[in-house]
């Protein structure tokens, strides 16, 4: 019996008992009940965070999806899904400008937009700022690529003019 994890009532601090018939945890002290998934969600969030840290994006994504099915505005799960879409393990990764040259911009925007739409009002600014950073990084890479193309064209033109001059 020592293998069974005891759960503590978040309301009164009492030890919960299992009601197998109702498939619920019950507090014999204050009468509050919890379904089994209430405590499983805490474990899933930890599992998802560890999978994300280990760059196991598929596993982390499935765990975050499970959480979002039950609580569509769960900040940690929404943030985790956005990080996965950007192929980074923590928000600090967004500082790396190299991220944006290999970023699937459409996929990242879709996930961040989902987070903005689904999040609680107090969390929307976080995801809106994330979207602004991704947009700015994407625009930077597009401008950089355009300038590089123009530079290459200029080099070709100069080379061609030099060739014409030498042939004259």
């Amino acid at each position: 019996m020592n293998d069974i994890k005891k759960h503590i009532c978040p309301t009164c601090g009492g030890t919960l008992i299992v009601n197998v018939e109702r498939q619920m945890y019950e507090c014999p002290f204050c009468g509050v009940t919890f379904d089994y998934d209430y405590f499983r969600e805490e474990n899933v969030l930890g599992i998802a965070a560890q999978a994300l840290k280990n760059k196991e994006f598929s596993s982390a994504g499935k765990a975050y999806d499970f959480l979002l099915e039950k609580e569509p505005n769960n900040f940690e799960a929404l943030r985790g899904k956005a990080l996965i879409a950007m192929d980074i393990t923590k928000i600090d990764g967004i500082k790396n400008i190299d991220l944006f040259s290999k970023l699937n911009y459409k996929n990242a925007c879709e996930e961040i937009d989902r987070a903005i739409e689904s999040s609680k009002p107090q969390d929307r600014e976080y995801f809106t700022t994330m979207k602004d950073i991704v947009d700015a990084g994407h625009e930077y890479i597009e401008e950089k690529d355009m300038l590089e193309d123009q530079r290459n064209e200029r080099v070709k033109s100069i080379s061609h003019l030099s060739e014409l001059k030498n042939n004259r």
Side-chain angles (χ1 to χ4, degrees):
M1 260 330 207
N2 290 342
D3 293 7
I4 297 174
K5 181 179 176 183
K6 292 185 178 184
H7 294 289
I8 304 299
C9 177
T11 306
C12 73
T15 302
L16 299 175
I17 59 171
V18 177
N19 182 328
V20 178
E21 196 174 289
R22 292 180 59 205
Q23 293 189 344
M24 305 276 290
Y25 290 101
E26 293 179 346
C27 180
F29 303 100
C30 68
V32 175
T33 60
F34 302 92
D35 66 3
Y36 288 154
D37 284 338
Y38 177 86
F39 292 101
R40 182 174 175 217
E41 287 178 31
E42 291 176 13
N43 294 339
V44 171
L45 191 54
I47 290 167
Q50 187 61 46
L52 181 62
K53 183 179 177 183
N54 294 336
K55 294 188 176 188
E56 297 167 356
F57 295 126
S58 178
S59 296
K62 288 176 186 175
Y64 288 131
D65 285 337
F66 171 81
L67 290 167
L68 290 170
E69 281 181 34
K70 297 191 78 65
E71 186 185 349
N73 60 2
N74 182 295
F75 175 81
E76 291 297 324
L78 291 169
R79 186 176 65 104
K81 291 289 288 183
L83 294 176
I84 291 167
M86 291 185 281
D87 201 30
I88 56 178
T89 60
K90 45 188 179 170
I91 195 63
D92 286 352
I94 207 167
K95 294 178 186 176
N96 185 349
I97 196 68
D98 294 334
L99 163 72
F100 300 102
S101 60
K102 54 189 172 198
L103 178 72
N104 181 332
Y105 177 71
K106 182 180 181 231
N107 188 35
C109 285
E110 286 174 1
E111 201 60 57
I112 296 169
D113 285 341
R114 174 185 173 197
I116 292 169
E117 290 172 21
S118 300
S119 62
K120 296 174 185 171
Q122 65 267 24
D123 296 332
R124 285 200 184 109
E125 185 178 349
Y126 179 91
F127 293 113
T128 301
T129 301
M130 182 187 285
K131 176 84 184 284
D132 290 344
I133 293 169
V134 169
D135 287 343
H138 179 69
E139 186 177 324
Y140 168 81
I141 294 301
E142 282 185 332
E143 291 289 326
K144 179 181 165 205
D145 290 346
M146 185 182 73
L147 288 171
E148 184 67 26
D149 290 345
Q150 288 175 349
R151 188 181 80 69
N152 290 339
E153 284 299 316
R154 184 172 174 252
V155 168
K156 281 183 192 176
S157 295
I158 291 171
S159 176
H160 183 69
L161 287 172
S162 293
E163 197 176 296
L164 287 173
K165 181 181 175 185
N166 288 339
N167 286 339
R168 218 184 221 225

